[in-house]
Amino acid sequence: MMKRKIGRRRVLVGAGSATALALSGGLLNTIVPRPAFSQGTGPDIGISKTTIKIGLSGGITGAIAFASRQFSGYMGSYFKKVNAQGGIHGRKLEFIVLDDGGKGDIALQNAQRLLQQDQVFVMTTIGTATTAGILGYLTDQKVPLLFPGAYNTELVSPVRANTFALYQPYEGQIAVLTKWAYRKFGAGTAVIVRANPPSFDLSAKSAAATVQTNGGTAAATLNTTYNQPEWASIAIRLKQIKPDYIIVLTTASDMGRLWKELSLQKALPRKAMLGISPLADQAFLDAAGNTVPDGMIYAAVPGTVVQTAPEAQEARDLMPKEKMGIFGLEGVASAAVIAEALRRVGPEPTRAKLIDLLANKFEPYRLPFMDAAKSAPNHLMIQSVGVSTVKNGQFVPATKEFVL
């Protein structure tokens, strides 16, 4: 179990269990579970005269642990900054984090606890399986789900009254990136390497369709698992096909291990590896080691600048001892829009007012490290996607403008 102190906020990081540890005022306390009660005591649950409660469930342990810790950690650090500046209309933000190990069933248990026991006002998430596991429940409870670190299609289609996203789903990301790459480097054959969860079905179809639309050939789709135990067989297959492009749809660490094996097997793509946003994360470079040459990796970056860009310095400074990845920057962006929405909804916030604001009245809000967030019919409040690449062992912008 991980414990950390974040200002005057309570941070709970457990494993979906009935008890967790809290840090409050520097003292370690055991939270004794109270009997669950039914949701529906009013839209102002989670609001007091002094606090606003925000809950998060995510895979703090498991396959996406690095991404989850970065997203929740940077989000918490941003809320700490808000609290140090007086909070929102005099209320401090109390941030409660529960670990679900990246598992949807535990995420659902966490969401039930956060609503029924901890009585949060709004929720967010990190992770595809986590988000899928609680979407229906939060929709039924009419609880705002705000700007998850996730790219599920279900966040924006069909539109859910209570749910708002900042980041393009994976199928949108890979379509934009593939189109950009084929225009920049020319058409060619592509092999799609995807993890097997159904959440990647649309992304794989989108990648293949975009390749064909832009004059290329989708030569094969290779299925893998999360935490793929070995990559040699995949690398050997890719060496036989010799594609111009390898399009990857899996976790950052798996992408890194694949690239490392491709380097060992001398099976690199002729033009580039293209990938969804996890490819742009530090975890990819950590897993790939010193095997990534300049100009061979291109990753979609939805909504924000690349985490190493000068414009992201303000965000990096929130955790100066941490090496920020893309999910850290997304944690800051999501936190910033949550805080701004709470400011704009006024000193007497309700869930209904907040939902109406985000759905219909949220005027463009831009920060140096992210594109403008604004109300949209599909509740995807930032539509744009950027592109990052590797240069001198770190991710840098591949283009100065967002592309869509």
Side-chain angles (χ1 to χ4, degrees):
M1 180 177 291
M2 179 178 67
K3 308 180 288 291
R4 61 183 180 274
K5 177 182 176 185
I6 302 183
R8 294 177 61 186
R9 293 166 298 136
R10 182 160 56 111
V11 178
L12 306 182
V13 183
S17 59
T19 62
L21 296 178
L23 283 170
S24 179
L27 299 177
L28 183 64
N29 303 291
T30 299
I31 303 301
V32 180
R34 301 187 296 272
F37 53 87
S38 62
Q39 179 73 3
T41 56
D44 304 322
I45 283 178
I47 300 286
S48 73
K49 292 182 179 179
T50 58
T51 61
I52 301 173
K53 291 185 179 181
I54 300 167
L56 179 147
S57 184
I60 308 299
T61 58
I64 60 167
F66 180 83
S68 296
R69 289 197 295 265
Q70 284 240 326
F71 186 87
S72 60
Y74 277 95
M75 177 172 279
S77 294
Y78 188 90
F79 290 153
K80 178 181 178 180
K81 178 181 177 181
V82 171
N83 287 344
Q85 295 171 345
I88 306 292
H89 300 296
R91 296 181 176 95
K92 297 298 176 69
L93 302 178
E94 184 177 343
F95 188 37
I96 305 172
V97 177
L98 295 180
D99 179 21
D100 55 46
K103 298 178 180 178
D105 56 342
I106 299 178
L108 177 57
Q109 295 172 21
N110 285 350
Q112 291 168 339
R113 173 190 169 145
L114 287 165
L115 267 60
Q116 298 172 0
Q117 179 173 319
D118 297 300
Q119 294 187 274
V120 299
F121 181 58
V122 300
M123 272 197 65
T124 189
T125 60
I126 168 69
T128 300
T130 292
T131 305
I134 69 172
L135 265 174
Y137 175 67
L138 295 186
T139 300
D140 291 343
Q141 299 299 316
K142 298 180 174 60
V143 173
L145 174 59
L146 304 184
F147 320 128
Y151 314 100
N152 306 53
T153 305
E154 298 86 354
L155 286 169
V156 296
S157 180
V159 175
R160 298 168 185 261
N162 66 307
T163 301
F164 299 87
L166 285 186
Y167 313 112
Q168 274 277 0
Y170 282 145
E171 66 270 19
Q173 293 181 30
I174 202 62
V176 169
L177 178 65
T178 303
K179 182 178 179 179
W180 175 87
Y182 271 58
R183 289 183 174 181
K184 184 174 181 63
F185 305 117
T189 58
V191 173
I192 299 163
V193 180
R194 54 156 295 178
N196 55 17
S199 55
F200 290 108
D201 289 350
L202 281 177
S203 305
K205 291 178 182 178
S206 176
T210 307
V211 166
Q212 293 170 358
T213 300
N214 287 273
T217 301
T221 296
L222 306 181
N223 291 295
T224 66
T225 63
Y226 277 153
N227 291 322
Q228 175 83 5
E230 61 83 26
W231 285 98
S233 59
I234 299 293
I236 291 171
R237 182 77 178 107
L238 289 166
K239 188 173 184 178
Q240 293 170 342
I241 299 174
K242 298 180 181 178
D244 295 297
Y245 297 95
I246 298 174
I247 299 175
V248 284
L249 309 169
T250 185
T251 67
S253 296
D254 276 325
M255 293 176 186
R257 288 189 288 271
L258 170 59
W259 184 266
K260 189 172 185 178
E261 188 64 36
L262 290 173
S263 298
L264 289 173
Q265 298 281 352
K266 294 181 171 48
L268 300 182
R270 292 174 175 174
K271 293 186 177 180
M273 176 183 278
L274 311 177
I276 51 178
S277 52
L279 180 58
D281 196 61
Q282 181 63 36
F284 165 79
L285 293 175
D286 292 343
N290 299 318
T291 64
V292 184
D294 293 356
M296 287 292 291
I297 300 293
Y298 295 90
V301 182
T304 70
V305 300
V306 178
Q307 64 268 24
T308 58
E311 294 86 351
Q313 186 63 52
E314 173 188 351
R316 292 195 296 270
D317 287 345
L318 291 170
M319 297 180 69
K321 295 182 179 180
E322 184 81 9
K323 192 167 186 178
M324 175 182 273
I326 185 173
F327 294 102
L329 186 55
E330 288 184 358
V332 179
S334 292
V337 183
I338 289 172
E340 182 63 18
L342 291 172
R343 289 189 190 97
R344 293 188 187 187
V345 81
E348 298 181 2
T350 67
R351 289 172 174 167
K353 286 181 181 178
L354 181 61
I355 287 170
D356 180 57
L357 169 71
L358 292 171
N360 304 303
K361 305 171 185 175
F362 195 84
E363 296 297 323
Y365 176 64
R366 185 190 300 269
L367 291 170
F369 51 81
M370 71 178 208
D371 204 2
K374 60 182 179 180
S375 295
N378 65 349
H379 291 193
L380 177 58
M381 295 181 63
I382 300 180
Q383 304 282 333
S384 55
V385 176
V387 181
S388 67
T389 189
V390 175
K391 185 176 182 180
N392 297 325
Q394 69 174 3
F395 281 102
V396 298
T399 176
K400 294 182 179 179
E401 298 178 351
F402 287 102
V403 294
L404 183 61

